[in-house]
Amino acid sequence: MISVRSLPARLVPLDAVALLLALAAPLVAQTNTAAPGLTAALVRLLDGIPGFTAHLDVRQVDAQGKETLNAPMKFSFLNAKLRGEIEIAKLKATEMPALAGSAAKSVGLETVVMLVRPDLRESQQYYPAFKACIHAPLGDEELVPLKKSVKLSKQPVARETVDGRPCVKNKVTITDADGVRYAADVWFAPDLKNFPLKVKAADGGGSLELHFTNIKLEKPDAKIFDLPAGTTKYEDPADLTQAVLKKFLGDAFGGK
């Protein structure tokens, strides 16, 4: 195994690569799994909307009201497939060092693409700069709520304005066959085919909020949900880190 500490001083960018890959994978995944079942619940909420693109802000707050995650992204949806494109420089989290954005740019790791593919029972984190991907199976907590037999109930509780748009706030509950319930407050916009502009769910003692803006109710190109040809897939983020470090070493010394 390559040790970053043992590398020559002139290869300092390797430190940034190892750090960013170690941090980016769990932080990007956190935007999808911070509240169990939320992704699947969101797909059910979008019944009747086959596809769209938007800007999405994912914000997580702990029990003390402190923000622990703020992840703005370009978001696309098509027939239950989800795609989020995140710029590391804009990702804020308590675990992310202050200079992570600058470090990301210096080593070509500005962007991470998150893909959720229920049809493949898989989630994917794609790194365009390295043409590499970390993939993991989707658990039942993400897939079960997608089934049409699962009960979804909405209870209107208020009329509120979100981003200047009239919305109906609902208490939404999804209950699976085992009686497991996923609950959230959802703000639906009637003039956007009842699009859920904002979703807020409990997460431990805190909360996780999804907020959509710049919504375009047009189907995105299906190709953007597929990994590019030649992408190398890894199950363990550590294996990807090692592969990238070896590549940097090879490039630095003229090898392979």
Side-chain angles (χ1 to χ4, degrees):
M1 177 175 284
I2 298 173
S3 170
V4 173
R5 294 182 180 178
S6 68
L7 297 173
R10 67 189 181 88
L11 295 179
V12 169
L14 286 168
D15 291 5
V17 175
L19 175 64
L20 286 166
L21 285 173
L23 288 171
L27 286 175
V28 173
Q30 187 178 356
T31 66
N32 175 44
T33 60
L38 185 58
T39 297
L42 175 61
V43 172
R44 288 299 306 275
L45 291 173
L46 291 166
D47 279 350
I49 302 177
F52 72 92
T53 59
H55 177 90
L56 170 63
D57 286 303
V58 179
R59 183 171 180 265
Q60 188 178 27
V61 175
D62 65 16
Q64 288 71 47
K66 180 181 178 181
E67 183 178 87
T68 57
L69 175 72
N70 191 314
M73 68 182 78
K74 296 177 182 177
F75 188 86
S76 301
F77 175 85
L78 181 66
N79 299 327
K81 301 174 186 177
L82 285 71
R83 183 185 193 275
E85 184 174 324
I86 301 172
E87 293 182 37
I88 296 297
K90 296 180 180 179
L91 176 63
K92 299 178 182 178
T94 52
E95 295 89 348
M96 184 71 81
L99 297 178
S102 298
K105 187 174 182 179
S106 70
V107 296
L109 189 63
E110 297 100 326
T111 304
V112 181
V113 177
M114 178 183 71
L115 295 164
V116 180
R117 295 290 304 269
D119 56 327
L120 301 178
R121 299 181 64 90
E122 185 174 275
S123 65
Q124 304 163 342
Q125 292 162 38
Y126 174 63
Y127 298 84
F130 305 127
K131 212 168 186 180
C133 163
I134 300 171
H135 69 110
L138 287 174
D140 287 342
E141 70 275 12
E142 292 297 331
L143 293 171
V144 170
L146 288 170
K147 298 180 179 179
K148 295 296 183 181
S149 59
V150 170
K151 182 181 178 181
L152 186 151
S153 64
K154 302 177 183 178
Q155 181 183 358
V157 294
R159 291 186 177 275
E160 298 180 357
T161 300
V162 178
D163 302 327
R165 191 183 298 274
C167 291
V168 180
K169 180 182 178 181
N170 280 250
K171 292 286 185 181
V172 175
T173 303
I174 293 178
T175 307
D176 67 23
D178 295 323
V180 178
R181 301 171 72 236
Y182 308 92
D185 291 326
V186 184
W187 287 258
F188 293 96
D191 65 335
L192 275 177
K193 298 182 179 179
N194 280 327
F195 188 96
L197 283 187
K198 189 165 71 171
V199 181
K200 187 174 183 179
D203 180 30
S207 64
L208 181 71
E209 181 178 299
L210 311 181
H211 185 183
F212 292 96
T213 56
N214 299 326
I215 301 155
K216 296 181 180 178
L217 297 178
E218 301 172 357
K219 288 185 179 181
D221 188 340
K223 293 180 181 178
I224 68 172
F225 297 90
D226 294 325
L227 294 171
T231 297
T232 303
K233 298 178 73 173
Y234 298 88
E235 293 184 3
D236 189 340
D239 292 337
L240 171 59
T241 301
Q242 290 300 309
V244 171
L245 292 178
K246 289 178 181 178
K247 179 182 183 303
F248 268 75
L249 281 173
D251 291 345
F253 292 105
K256 296 182 180 181

